[in-house]
Amino acid sequence: MNTNNNAYIIIYSAILVVIVAFLLAFVYQALKPMQDANVALDQKKQILNSLNLRNLDGAEAEAMYGRVVKSEEEIDGSTYYLCETKAGNKKYVFPLKGMGLWGGISGYVAVDDDLNTIFGVYFNHESETAGLGSEIKDSQAWQEKFIGKKIYSESGELAVGVVKKVENAASEVDCITGATLTSNGVHDMLRNGLDGYISKLKEE
């Protein structure tokens, strides 16, 4: 057989591509259950982070999630979580999505059963700048600034927000220096997302 023949090279390459594609598909299918389990565990950890239950390993997170998250509920197709702390206090955890500077941002916000006081938050991002916009995820100290903030003013106006200069300390948090657009994304995500969930819950 002439291995320098063009037909031989084309057939050999085609067979090789088919074999590699088959192997990749097999590996993908074999690993998919593990990937799905890791995604589900990461989501549980994010929800627990919003409840100020952080730095748990996989087994601890699974056990804690089972104890704390009492049910998953839906409003207009959006899932939120009813939780109960160790002290027996009821919390709502609302998932939020928005846009940062370079891509999507997301988060979980835990709210007291008064539907007005933030108990804790956890934010995530797809591609924000390291050391700047990524601080919404990486800085626990910044996330802790949201604890205790009021979502609505005493007159019932939407008040929670991320701003350059805090004028209402009861509801506002300073934006991240050098990451104004990402901070604005968190601001919009909080106001649009939280008000949407809470307004509908109050109507029920």
Side-chain angles (χ1 to χ4, degrees), residues 3-181:
T3 57
N4 293 322
N5 182 288
N6 286 341
Y8 173 85
I9 294 172
I10 291 171
I11 293 171
Y12 178 84
S13 300
I15 292 173
L16 192 62
V17 167
V18 169
I19 292 173
V20 170
F22 173 79
L23 290 174
L24 288 175
F26 175 78
V27 170
Y28 172 78
Q29 288 299 326
L31 294 178
K32 193 169 187 314
M34 191 183 302
Q35 292 172 342
D36 291 344
N38 286 336
V39 169
L41 178 60
D42 182 60
Q43 182 186 25
K44 290 176 181 178
K45 285 185 174 180
Q46 291 186 38
I47 291 169
L48 292 173
N49 285 341
S50 75
L51 291 162
N52 307 313
L53 299 168
R54 296 173 182 259
N55 303 317
L56 303 174
D57 65 27
E60 291 172 332
E62 289 283 6
M64 185 64 75
Y65 188 88
R67 286 198 296 271
V68 171
V69 178
K70 299 303 180 186
S71 65
E72 297 180 2
E73 306 290 337
E74 277 200 12
I75 290 182
D76 290 346
S78 297
T79 301
Y80 67 96
Y81 305 87
L82 283 179
C83 307
E84 187 175 300
T85 65
K86 189 176 179 180
N89 298 317
K90 181 179 176 182
K91 309 293 177 190
Y92 296 85
V93 175
F94 301 115
L96 306 177
K97 290 189 180 298
M99 282 301 296
L101 174 59
W102 300 111
I105 58 176
S106 60
Y108 290 95
V109 178
V111 177
D112 288 345
D113 62 358
D114 64 358
L115 291 175
N116 191 33
T117 307
I118 293 178
F119 181 70
V121 304
Y122 179 78
F123 299 123
N124 203 352
H125 66 88
E126 294 175 0
S127 54
E128 297 306 307
T129 307
L132 295 174
S134 70
E135 290 297 289
I136 67 169
K137 174 186 177 185
D138 299 334
S139 175
Q140 184 177 336
W142 189 71
Q143 293 181 9
E144 288 175 346
K145 291 182 179 180
F146 289 86
I147 296 174
K149 297 299 181 185
K150 298 297 182 184
I151 299 167
Y152 299 96
S153 67
E154 291 183 358
S155 60
E157 297 295 320
L158 187 60
V160 69
V162 180
V163 297
K164 279 189 174 180
K165 184 179 179 183
V166 172
E167 295 180 352
N168 177 9
S171 295
E172 296 172 344
V173 170
D174 278 319
C175 70
I176 296 170
T177 303
T180 302
L181 292 179

